[in-house]
């Protein structure tokens, strides 16, 4: 059915995957000089377009909403819209990363992801996903800096069961432990990559310099988060009196109200009211440099605190930024387009903030060595506006651009209803958008000069630079402070701050040894040969044979997808690596991995208290952490059997990027009186990577170290 | 907890699910009218945002490309931005004359070239110089950027999307600039000047490799339609064949435009902040004066019956891809909705989609599986098309086998109730959830009004998706998803050219 094509399907675009980008719209053919145009011909063609007169732009209309409050305090905002048989909406919850503590930074994000991702008390995550699909419905959840939300979309005819799933997710999330681990891994991944894009680094550091508010999630703070922290964070904020439920779509308000009353009326909580959202402190001035030897260009941004929607000057600041640097005819864009200008891509923006003032920002990119030019060029354009008013035409064009930006998205009723809900949430009047646009329309040329003088003092801008530079001289005077964005190292990522003790570690490990057949029996094993077959999620099968000799000799021989044959040998301190033809010494990070693998060989793992150099620390009743140098493996026992059920550890890529690995061990079988796992599932950074099946384990075959040590 | 308490939440909704008419508000807000010249308008009034979306739906696509001139319909993606006889002309009369002179010079050059071996080298060189002189003379009289600057000044967006069956001009317009859109669009249709034609053509020609050849998916889909259609114009890629594009002529573009971009062949759908009365007044004022022209005929060519499966192999080391297309009837057929539900059962949504679950989750044979129930067009019998990315370590043969196995399941028995309900819901959601903003509504209205002649067809289609039965799905699978109707394109890595040699690296 072509009706369902998302894009007019000229080509591959219909398949959405590798399609061609639509033409840039509107396209501007290469630099045609703006020649003076003779009055365009008239003839039968009607008026010339330049003679058209336009009415003033119209204010957007927000839909009519009915508001209720249930006895348990839940606020309802209902917007009827009978265009299409759909209902969408969201529960907005007063919470956010602003309520986190530094030692648990990342808790809000984790909780937000797990409300939908961790299943509910009635449904596993898999069941929830299947049920949603079968209804054509969707639910998503998330917690940002200053707001949490659980959103919802359903077909009218499936409203009842869809709403019931929504109720289940919102009021009874289960935060399943395996999903918590996956969510943590994906957060670790985010931390590992947060410095990849210099523009992102610049944006983040500028905001942190101007509005230091939330703590940055780190490996340590995320690793420290326990399931209980998530549960408590959820309970503290997700209760009816702290929630506004916005629904829009094809329903009758009265019927929907009573349905929601019955569905959510029983949602109870004795939580104290949540304190008001804390306002961020605001700082000005100064310059910082993030030194990035890999940066090919200089990225520069400078900002001062802007306004919120209630700030009388916010509209004038928005207009000023637009005149300076929004759109192809803005002053900064025209300046950057000049062939004599070394600066590329000069822009400005000043969106008002809801809770905290937005940032009036000017940004630019230059080639190597010209970072100061961005500051000079931007301040020069700013000074010109401080010295004299813009033209009437500039003012008009800026107003219209803002009008369009603010109004455009309100054509979607669901989104417009959420705008109303968001207004309530931050304590704005329902018509704050219209009020703001009216103020935009009233901004005069003199207003622009006034706010530029009063609010945009060049000395107050905080200047940020991300570049391949060791120092940066601020053209306004002084040197930039160096900001170190090095990510605090990962080891703490897998060591918890919980009660750890060697005693407890010993106890837990002994339990595992008992479960596997007893310490003495384990110690009697002299060698082991194990064949494993990995089925990779991205496709492909890897086969591997491991030969281990107690205590610390390991030879791994495998065929890896995309790599070919790979053999590694270690004697516990050094080793070699080979592709079957040639070989060389085992170096980091491969050496580190091989030593880690040696530690994780099932026999070796269980005997960790008897192998020199290893330390075993207890984390809780079922968890131990084994360390050897910088190799750390966390082992979680199955509470019922006492056998290891999960391994957590870190690998490094060739480029030193950490990958967090989780192995789930299962299918324990008896081999000569010892219980060993014959299956495992491997996750990397929270994403499933492979299923492993052990096809054979043999013990005490009489393996000799001198044989294993031989290179091919 | 008693069992009654457990089921209670579901019962509450009985009163909400009362059978009410769907799309009430939309129906109330939509007006349609036809101008005396045959141009059709559908207007959905929605006064939320101060903007409206327009979809100008022109029944001119690559199926209409004349033989040897593939890519002609496609070139209007750019050519329509060069302005009109007046907008973008420094001196309209002089420019038109200069453009015509250039065409005449090119005609003479072609005439000499067409003599083949008898062509006179000296004459050719002189004619080439004359052609390039006349083209240069025309170029200085035009400002091809003026039209797009006028759009930009009005904050109006303008994207032209050509496809096999039609070409759509997509715009978003600030509502107070409504008149500007009507003026610019009507002038473009009535008196276009493709003053930038040869530059556009040479651009398209030069970028063909990066746009099409180097995009594995485009090559696979191009090979799919080329093999599946031996006779019907769906055979040709929408983007044209490079050697055809390279010799396209302005004059034939003018003729094509005149013939296919005629008022009665165009449907304009508008959704957003515009009063129907204003839309009508502006339409009459600006599009009304365009003279009526006869409608071009539909394509009469009928693809002969396929007598067995067809397979094409493309060697490519960059990506391993499989495309499988099954011949199916046009979109006016009653099985259209059934095949859409079949698509949803196979690939839509999360967990539970048959083909995704089997090929990706369980067997790890594929890294992606997508289906378009209609490709490359819809107005004529076309293909139910499956595209899969093959997982490393596996082959297109394995994936094709996997696909036919899943299809065999669809054919073996009627799907169970839950699967059917899931497929219907997801198919319906795919349609209904587009009707939430101006762009989505305008797109759906344009297609229903443009293809079926009446936007109300939208209501029938939404309803028909809900009425598809398990038996219909099974019968459609048995009827259409058969080897006799199948064309497969395997994009595989080339076999190694020489045997890998051992040793030497030690």
């Amino acid at each position: 059915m072509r009706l369902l094509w998302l894009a007019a399907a000229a080509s591959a675009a219909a398949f959405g995957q590798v399609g061609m980008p639509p033409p840039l719209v509107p396209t501007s053919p290469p630099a045609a000089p703006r020649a003076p145009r003779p009055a365009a011909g008239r003839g039968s063609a009607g008026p010339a377009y330049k003679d058209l007169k336009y009415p003033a732009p119209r204010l957007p209309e927000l839909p009519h909403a009915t508001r209720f409050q249930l006895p348990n305090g839940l606020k309802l905002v209902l917007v009827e819209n009978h265009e299409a048989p759909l209902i969408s909406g969201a529960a907005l919850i007063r919470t956010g990363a602003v309520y986190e503590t530094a030692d648990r930074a990342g808790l809000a994000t984790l909780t937000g992801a797990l409300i939908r991702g961790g299943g509910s008390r009635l449904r596993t995550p898999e069941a929830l996903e299947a049920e949603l699909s079968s209804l054509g419905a969707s639910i998503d959840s998330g917690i940002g800096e200053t707001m949490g939300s659980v959103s919802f979309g359903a077909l009218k005819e499936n409203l009842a069961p869809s709403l019931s799933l929504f109720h289940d997710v919102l009021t009874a999330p289960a935060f399943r432990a395996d999903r918590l681990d996956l969510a943590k891994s994906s957060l670790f991944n985010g931390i590992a990559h947060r410095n990849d894009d210099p523009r992102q680094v610049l944006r983040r550091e500028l905001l942190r310099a101007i509005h230091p508010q939330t703590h940055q999630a780190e490996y340590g703070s995320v690793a420290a988060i326990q399931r209980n922290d998530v549960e408590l964070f959820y309970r503290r904020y997700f209760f009816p009196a702290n929630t506004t439920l916005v629904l829009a779509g094809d329903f009758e308000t009265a019927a929907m109200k009573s349905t929601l009353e019955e569905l959510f009326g029983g949602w109870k909580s004795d939580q104290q009211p949540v304190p008001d959202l804390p306002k961020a402190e605001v700082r000005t001035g100064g310059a910082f440099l993030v030194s990035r030897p890999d940066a090919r260009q200089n990225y520069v941004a400078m900002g001062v605190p802007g306004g919120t929607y209630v700030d009388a000057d916010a509209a004038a600041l928005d207009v000023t930024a637009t005149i300076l640097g929004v759109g192809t005819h803005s002053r900064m864009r025209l300046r950057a387009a000049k062939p004599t200008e070394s600066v590329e891509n000069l822009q400005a923006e000043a969106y008002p903030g809801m809770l905290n003032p937005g940032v009036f920002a000017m940004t630019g990119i230059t080639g190597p060595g010209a970072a100061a030019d961005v500051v000079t060029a931007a301040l020069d354009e700013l000074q010109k506006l401080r010295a004299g008013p813009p033209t009437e035409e500039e003012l008009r064009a800026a107003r219209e651009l803002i009008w369009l930006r603010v109004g455009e998205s309100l054509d979607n009723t669901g989104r417009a209803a959420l705008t109303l809900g968001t207004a309530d949430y931050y304590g704005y009047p329902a018509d704050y958008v219209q009020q703001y646009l009216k103020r935009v329309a009233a901004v005069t040329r003199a207003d622009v000069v006034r706010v530029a003088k009063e609010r945009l003092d060049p000395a107050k801008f905080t200047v940020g630079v991300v570049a391949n530079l060791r120092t940066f001289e601020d053209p306004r005077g002084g040197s930039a402070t160096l900001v170190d964005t090095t990510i605090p190292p990962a080891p703490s990522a897998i060591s918890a701050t919980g009660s750890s003790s060697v005693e407890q570690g010993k106890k837990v490990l002994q339990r595992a040894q008992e479960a596997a057949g007893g310490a003495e029996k384990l110690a009697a094993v002299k060698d082991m040969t194990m064949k494993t077959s990995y089925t990779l999620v991205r496709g492909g099968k890897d086969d591997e044979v491991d030969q281990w000799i107690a205590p610390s000799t390991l030879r791994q021989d495998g065929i890896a997808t995309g790599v070919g044959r790979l053999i590694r040998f270690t004697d516990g301190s050094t080793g070699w690596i080979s592709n079957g033809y040639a070989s060389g010494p085992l170096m980091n990070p491969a050496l580190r991995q091989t030593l880690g693998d040696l530690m994780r060989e099932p026999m070796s793992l269980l005997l960790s208290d008897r192998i020199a150099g290893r330390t075993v620390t207890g984390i809780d009743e079922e968890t131990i952490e084994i360390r050897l140098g910088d190799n750390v493996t966390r082992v979680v026992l199955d509470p019922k059997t006492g056998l290891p059920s999960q391994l957590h550890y870190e690998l490094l890529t060739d480029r030193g990027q950490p990958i967090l690995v989780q192995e789930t061990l299962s299918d324990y079988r008896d081999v000569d009186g010892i219980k060993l796992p014959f299956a495992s599932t491997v996750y990397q950074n929270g994403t499933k990577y492979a299923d492993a099946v052990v096809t054979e384990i043999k013990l005490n075959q009489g393996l000799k170290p001198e044989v294993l040590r031989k290179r091919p | 907890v008693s069992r009654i308490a457990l089921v209670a939440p579901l019962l509450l909704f009985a009163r909400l699910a009362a059978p009410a008419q769907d799309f009430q508000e939309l129906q109330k807000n939509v007006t349609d009218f036809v101008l005396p010249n045959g141009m059709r308008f559908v207007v959905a009034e929605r006064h939320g945002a101060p903007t409206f979306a327009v979809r100008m739906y022109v029944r001119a696509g690559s199926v209409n490309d004349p033989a040897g001139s593939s890519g002609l319909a496609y070139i209007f993606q750019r050519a329509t931005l060069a302005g009109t006889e007046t907008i973008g002309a420094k001196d309209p009369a002089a420019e038109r004359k200069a453009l015509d002179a250039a065409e005449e010079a090119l005609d003479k050059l072609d005439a000499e070239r067409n003599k083949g071996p008898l062509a006179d080298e000296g004459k050719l060189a002189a004619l080439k110089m004359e052609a390039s002189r006349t083209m240069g003379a025309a170029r200085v009289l035009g400002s091809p950027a003026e039209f797009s600057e006028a759009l930009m000044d009005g904050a109006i967006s303008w994207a032209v999307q050509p496809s096999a069956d039609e070409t759509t001009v997509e715009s978003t317009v600030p509502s107070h600039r409504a008149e500007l859109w009507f003026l610019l669009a009507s002038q473009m249709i009535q008196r276009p000047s493709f003053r930038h034609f040869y530059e556009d053509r040479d651009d398209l020609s030069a970028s063909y490799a990066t746009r099409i050849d180097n995009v594995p998916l485009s090559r696979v889909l191009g090979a799919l339609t080329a093999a599946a259609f031996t006779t019907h114009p769906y055979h040709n890629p929408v983007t044209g064949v490079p050697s055809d594009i390279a010799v396209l002529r302005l004059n034939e573009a003018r003729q094509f435009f005149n013939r296919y971009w005629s008022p009665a062949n165009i449907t304009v759908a508008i959704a957003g902040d515009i009063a129907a009365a204003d839309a009508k007044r502006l339409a009459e004022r600006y599009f009304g004066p365009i003279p009526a022209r006869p409608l071009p005929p539909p394509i009469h060519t009928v693809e002969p019956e396929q007598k067995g499966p067809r397979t094409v192999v493309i060697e490519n080391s960059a990506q391993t891809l499989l495309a499988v297309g099954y011949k199916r009837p046009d979109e006016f057929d009653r099985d259209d909705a059934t095949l859409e539900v079949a698509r949803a059962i196979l690939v839509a949504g999360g967990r539970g989609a048959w083909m995704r679950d089997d090929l990706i989750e369980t067997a790890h044979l594929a890294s992606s599986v997508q289906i378009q129930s209609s490709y490359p067009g819809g107005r004529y019998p076309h293909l139910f098309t499956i595209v899969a990315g093959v997982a490393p370590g596996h082959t297109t043969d394995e994936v094709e086998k996997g696909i036919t196995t899943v299809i065999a399941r669809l054919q073996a028995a009627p799907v169970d109730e839950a699967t059917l309900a899931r497929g219907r819901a997801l198919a319906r959601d795919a349609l209904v959830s587009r009707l939430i903003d101006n762009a989505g509504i305008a797109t759906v209205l344009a297609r229903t009004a443009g293809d079926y002649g009446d936007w109300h067809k939208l209501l029938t289609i939404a309803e028909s998706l809900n009425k598809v039965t398990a038996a219909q799905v099974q019968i459609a699978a048995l009827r259409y998803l058969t080897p006799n109707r199948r064309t497969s394109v395997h994009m595989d890595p080339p076999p190694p050219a020489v045997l890998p040699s051992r040793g030497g690296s030690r």
Side-chain angles (χ1 to χ4, degrees):
Chain A
M1 180 169 291
R2 292 202 304 158
L3 203 49
L4 303 186
W5 284 5
L6 288 179
S11 63
F15 286 89
Q17 186 192 24
V18 198
M20 292 181 300
L24 277 178
V25 183
T27 55
S28 45
R34 285 195 140 201
R37 303 163 188 145
R42 286 159 182 275
S44 65
Y49 71 93
K50 281 179 211 121
D51 300 338
L52 292 182
K53 298 276 178 282
Y54 304 105
R58 213 184 42 79
L59 279 174
E61 284 170 25
L62 284 163
H64 173 73
T66 316
R67 292 175 168 77
F68 301 100
Q69 187 157 19
L70 301 189
N72 62 6
L74 178 68
K75 292 177 279 293
L76 305 178
V77 178
L78 303 182
V79 175
E80 264 188 56
N81 176 291
H82 302 287
E83 280 184 313
L86 275 183
I87 289 96
S88 69
L92 307 180
I93 294 96
R94 183 172 301 275
T95 179
V98 290
Y99 296 111
E100 283 173 353
T101 52
D103 64 341
R104 293 287 187 280
L107 178 57
T109 310
L110 273 184
T111 309
L114 283 172
I115 288 171
R116 156 75 169 80
S120 74
R121 272 177 231 149
L122 299 176
R123 293 173 176 87
T124 62
E126 293 79 14
L128 182 65
E129 199 189 317
E131 280 188 61
L132 283 169
S133 273
S134 71
L135 296 166
S138 63
I139 295 176
D140 285 300
S141 64
I143 299 179
E145 297 263 297
T146 60
M147 186 193 272
S149 72
V150 181
S151 63
F152 166 78
L155 287 165
K156 179 185 179 180
E157 65 264 29
N158 292 341
L159 178 63
S162 307
L163 210 44
S164 158
L165 288 179
F166 176 67
H167 173 262
D168 192 28
V169 169
L170 177 61
T171 66
F175 308 114
R176 283 181 169 71
D178 57 332
R179 294 297 174 131
L180 172 62
D181 292 338
L182 291 179
K184 276 189 184 180
S185 298
S186 109
L187 225 55
F188 288 145
N189 199 24
I191 294 169
H193 289 287
R194 75 177 175 214
N195 288 340
D196 289 2
D197 179 356
R199 276 164 296 198
Q200 210 187 324
V201 172
L202 179 59
R203 188 181 170 77
R204 180 184 73 223
E205 296 303 328
L206 184 69
L207 286 176
R208 274 156 57 90
I210 294 174
H211 290 316
Q213 184 165 33
T214 52
H215 311 285
Q216 191 158 251
E218 301 292 356
Y219 287 118
S221 71
V222 173
I225 296 169
Q226 307 287 334
R227 193 184 161 279
N228 196 35
D229 298 319
V230 175
E231 178 88 45
L232 288 176
F233 192 85
Y234 166 82
R235 257 191 261 154
R236 178 65 190 94
Y237 300 103
F238 284 68
F239 59 93
N242 199 41
T243 303
T244 304
L245 179 55
V246 183
L247 283 181
D250 201 0
F251 54 75
E252 305 296 329
T253 299
M256 180 55 93
K257 182 189 166 219
S258 58
T259 298
L260 294 174
E261 271 169 358
E262 286 178 62
L263 190 60
F264 286 96
W267 189 21
K268 291 279 182 329
S269 163
D270 50 8
Q271 288 289 341
Q272 292 301 304
V274 172
D276 281 346
L277 287 163
K279 296 242 161 98
E281 75 177 281
V282 167
R283 294 188 199 152
T284 60
F288 67 84
L289 167 67
V290 177
S291 186
R292 287 276 298 240
D294 62 330
R296 289 211 206 120
Q297 289 178 298
N298 295 322
Y299 301 88
V300 184
M302 43 199 298
V304 285
T308 61
Y309 279 95
V310 287
D311 184 331
D313 285 339
L317 284 169
D318 203 344
V319 170
T320 306
T322 308
I323 290 171
L324 276 175
V326 179
T328 39
H329 293 328
S330 66
R331 292 183 177 193
M332 289 166 79
R333 293 283 190 92
L334 290 175
R335 180 178 184 132
K338 282 185 196 152
T340 51
E341 188 58 64
S342 66
V343 177
E344 302 158 27
N345 207 356
L346 272 177
Q347 295 181 37
E349 66 171 57
Y351 304 159
M354 293 298 286
L355 175 70
N356 293 313
V359 171
F360 184 104
M362 301 191 285
T363 58
I365 301 175
T366 71
D373 294 357
V374 176
V375 181
T376 314
L379 288 181
D380 182 45
E381 290 302 329
L382 179 59
Q383 291 290 14
K384 282 186 204 156
L385 261 192
R386 284 160 64 94
T391 65
E392 200 55 56
E393 172 56 23
E394 281 180 308
L395 188 63
R396 183 202 60 75
R399 281 196 204 123
E400 282 196 31
L401 279 175
I402 296 171
W403 206 274
L404 206 60
R405 183 193 84 215
V406 174
E408 205 167 23
S409 67
L410 294 172
D411 72 331
N412 175 328
T413 313
R415 219 178 296 148
L418 278 180
T419 304
L420 290 175
T422 309
D424 281 10
Y425 181 90
Y426 287 109
Y428 283 94
D431 64 344
Y432 81 96
V433 172
Q434 286 102 325
Q435 285 185 22
Y436 181 69
L437 288 179
K438 279 182 196 158
R439 269 184 271 135
V440 168
V443 170
T444 64
R445 295 163 66 206
D447 288 335
V448 172
V449 178
R450 183 181 53 78
V451 295
K453 277 186 178 156
E454 288 174 7
R455 303 281 298 257
L456 304 174
D457 176 358
K460 291 219 167 126
F461 274 84
T462 304
V463 172
V465 177
V466 176
N468 182 12
L469 295 172
R470 284 163 187 272
T471 57
F472 174 70
E473 293 305 316
D474 185 343
R476 301 171 302 171
S479 295
T481 324
L482 273 175
V483 171
D484 183 5
T485 55
T486 310
I487 298 167
S492 57
I494 27 187
S495 75
T497 55
S499 67
S500 61
S501 76
V502 177
E503 259 325 292
Q504 195 184 9
K506 212 169 179 127
K507 243 171 55 193
V508 177
L509 184 61
Q510 276 167 2
R511 192 180 158 208
Q513 290 169 343
E514 276 315 306
E520 292 322 308
K521 217 168 202 169
L522 290 168
V525 174
K526 293 293 169 235
D527 66 66
M528 178 184 84
T529 304
M530 176 170 80
K531 293 183 182 168
T532 313
S533 175
Y534 294 86
T535 306
L536 308 190
V537 167
R538 63 181 153 89
K541 246 187 171 99
D542 291 359
D543 289 306
E544 185 175 311
V545 179
D546 288 7
Q547 293 170 296
W548 168 79
I549 302 176
S552 293
T553 304
L554 175 68
R555 182 185 172 118
Q556 299 171 301
D557 188 342
I559 307 281
T561 303
V563 176
R565 182 141 185 236
L566 211 58
I567 312 165
R568 285 185 294 200
F569 169 83
T570 182
D571 57 10
S573 55
T574 60
W576 50 258
I577 184 165
S578 165
N579 60 5
Y581 306 113
S583 65
L586 201 49
M587 316 265 275
N588 274 329
L591 174 63
R592 182 176 183 262
Q593 182 184 342
T594 308
L595 292 174
D597 287 348
L598 171 65
M599 178 201 280
R600 290 181 289 271
E601 284 297 326
M603 300 296 309
S604 156
L605 187 80
L606 290 170
L607 289 169
S608 282
D609 56 341
R610 302 185 180 210
I611 295 173
R614 294 191 193 173
T615 58
V616 179
T617 319
I619 304 296
D620 61 32
E621 310 262 293
E622 271 113 29
T623 312
I624 46 172
E625 197 169 270
I626 304 170
R627 272 173 190 272
L628 172 69
D630 56 357
N631 261 305
V632 184
T633 299
R634 193 190 273 204
V635 185
V636 183
L637 305 191
D638 183 319
K640 280 189 212 129
T641 63
L643 290 164
S645 66
Q646 280 179 34
L647 304 180
H648 297 264
Y649 54 94
E650 185 191 89
L651 297 180
L652 294 178
T653 65
D654 296 346
R655 303 166 70 198
Q657 297 269 15
I659 300 175
L660 279 127
V661 182
Q662 177 190 333
E663 282 187 44
T664 314
L665 309 175
S666 56
D667 191 16
Y668 274 86
R669 296 187 205 165
D670 198 293
V671 182
D672 302 344
I674 296 173
K675 287 210 170 65
L676 292 167
F678 274 69
S680 78
T681 307
V682 186
Y683 296 87
Q684 291 194 347
N685 287 334
T687 313
K688 184 168 161 183
Y689 176 74
D691 281 310
V693 175
V694 174
T695 49
E696 186 180 288
I697 297 183
K698 285 186 174 156
L699 303 178
N700 296 323
Q701 298 283 295
L703 299 182
K704 297 270 182 295
E706 55 274 22
V707 178
L708 299 196
R709 181 187 292 278
K710 250 191 209 151
R711 303 188 185 196
Chain B
V1 183
S2 79
R3 297 176 68 95
I4 292 174
L6 280 176
V7 295
L10 289 178
L11 297 176
L12 309 176
F13 299 95
R15 70 175 145 259
L16 281 183
Q21 190 69 47
D22 287 343
F23 305 104
Q24 279 172 24
E25 220 155 302
L26 195 65
Q27 295 191 60
K28 213 164 59 197
N29 296 340
V30 175
T31 315
D32 53 354
F33 55 90
V34 182
L35 299 180
N37 61 16
M39 197 163 170
R40 184 178 293 275
F41 285 80
V42 189
V43 183
E45 270 192 56
R46 305 175 82 237
H47 301 289
T51 60
F52 58 83
V54 190
R55 295 293 179 267
M56 190 155 71
Y57 191 81
V58 187
R59 288 196 296 185
S62 58
V63 290
N64 305 112
D65 286 344
S69 296
S70 66
L72 189 56
Y74 189 80
I75 205 165
F76 296 105
Q77 185 181 58
R78 304 189 182 204
T80 52
L81 270 168
T84 71
E85 288 181 354
T86 50
I87 303 168
K90 292 171 186 163
D91 178 343
E95 192 199 17
R96 176 71 203 222
K97 223 167 134 185
L99 285 168
D100 288 346
E103 279 307 285
E104 217 169 288
L106 285 165
D107 282 345
K108 283 186 189 147
L109 174 60
D110 279 352
E112 189 60 33
R113 270 191 187 139
N114 293 346
K115 290 181 186 163
L118 300 178
D120 179 322
E121 285 298 321
K123 234 179 184 177
L124 273 178
L127 287 168
K128 251 185 222 164
M129 260 173 62
E130 176 61 8
S132 107
R133 187 193 62 79
T134 50
M135 286 166 81
R139 200 171 299 129
V140 297
L141 293 170
S143 342
E146 185 177 346
F147 190 78
S148 42
E149 278 180 11
L151 289 165
M152 219 182 308
D153 284 345
I156 296 174
S157 68
W158 181 280
V160 182
Q161 309 278 12
S163 73
D165 290 345
E166 68 278 317
T167 303
T168 311
V169 182
E170 304 178 352
S171 290
T172 303
V173 185
S175 44
H176 68 294
R177 303 280 191 188
E179 186 162 7
L180 180 60
W181 182 87
F182 277 88
L183 186 150
L184 292 174
S186 62
Q187 296 245 337
M188 195 278 289
I189 288 190
Q190 188 173 8
R191 294 138 50 89
S193 170
F194 306 122
R195 56 174 61 82
H196 209 241
F197 183 85
Y198 291 106
E199 288 88 343
D200 292 336
R201 180 193 78 176
D202 295 345
D203 252 18
L204 282 176
S205 195
S207 63
Y208 198 89
T210 42
R211 287 183 302 117
I212 316 290
D213 283 345
N214 296 344
V215 182
L217 185 59
S218 297
R219 285 186 55 198
V220 165
L221 292 172
L224 179 72
T225 50
F229 299 99
T230 56
T231 313
H232 191 273
Y234 280 155
H235 174 86
N236 284 328
V238 171
T239 44
V241 175
S243 49
D244 283 359
I245 299 171
V247 297
L248 291 176
R249 289 285 310 276
L250 172 58
N251 265 343
E252 63 181 327
R254 283 177 175 162
Q255 281 162 20
F256 182 95
F257 195 85
N258 228 8
R259 187 169 158 92
Y260 291 102
W261 289 58
S262 65
N265 213 24
I266 299 178
T267 302
V268 178
I270 304 178
D273 185 27
I274 187 165
D278 288 338
K280 191 162 184 207
R281 179 176 54 79
L282 290 166
E284 280 165 353
R285 170 151 193 216
Y286 287 100
F287 289 100
I290 301 175
R293 291 200 293 273
L295 268 178
I299 303 294
H300 296 295
T301 310
V302 173
E303 179 66 24
E305 197 191 332
Q306 189 173 331
K307 297 289 189 189
R310 293 177 191 160
T311 302
V312 179
V313 177
I314 302 174
E315 285 178 3
N316 182 306
S317 46
Q319 219 170 338
T320 313
L321 280 176
L322 173 72
V324 180
Y326 291 96
K327 294 253 172 69
R328 51 152 290 177
D330 62 37
E331 65 190 2
F332 310 107
D333 192 277
R334 55 190 297 261
D335 283 330
D336 192 42
T338 310
L339 286 166
E340 190 52 38
V341 172
R343 180 196 71 85
I345 289 171
L346 295 174
V347 297
R351 228 165 260 270
W354 284 16
M355 204 173 271
R356 285 219 170 132
D357 280 7
D358 268 27
L359 267 57
I360 302 176
E361 302 295 328
T362 311
H364 305 308
L365 288 173
S367 52
S368 68
V369 183
Q370 300 182 61
I371 296 182
Q372 283 293 345
S373 55
S374 291
Y375 189 83
R379 293 177 69 199
Y380 307 100
H382 51 273
L383 301 174
F384 183 90
T385 306
I386 304 164
V387 175
V390 179
H394 292 278
T395 63
T396 47
D397 286 337
E398 289 174 86
V399 175
E400 181 163 20
K401 221 174 134 200
I403 287 173
T404 47
T405 310
V406 177
I407 286 174
R409 261 173 80 198
L410 212 53
Q411 294 166 331
V415 296
D416 58 283
E417 263 314 303
T419 302
L420 179 68
R422 181 184 185 284
R424 282 173 172 180
L426 287 167
R428 206 167 129 83
D429 183 61
L431 169 61
V432 170
S433 63
R434 305 194 64 187
L435 299 168
I436 57 168
D437 56 20
N438 290 341
I441 291 173
T443 302
V444 171
L445 292 180
R447 198 179 279 288
T448 43
D451 282 3
Y452 300 91
D454 182 359
W455 72 270
H456 287 92
K457 178 71 182 173
L458 154 66
L459 310 175
T460 328
I461 290 173
E463 199 52 41
S464 67
L465 289 169
N466 253 353
K467 289 187 177 151
V468 170
T469 66
Q472 283 173 334
V473 173
Q474 185 191 12
I475 291 167
L478 284 166
R479 193 177 288 160
Y480 305 121
L481 308 183
T482 63
N484 263 358
R485 293 171 166 268
R486 186 174 72 218
T487 303
S488 316
V489 180
H490 295 237
M491 180 177 265
D492 287 316
V498 284
L499 286 173
S501 61
R502 289 201 151 208
S505 62
R506 197 172 279 243

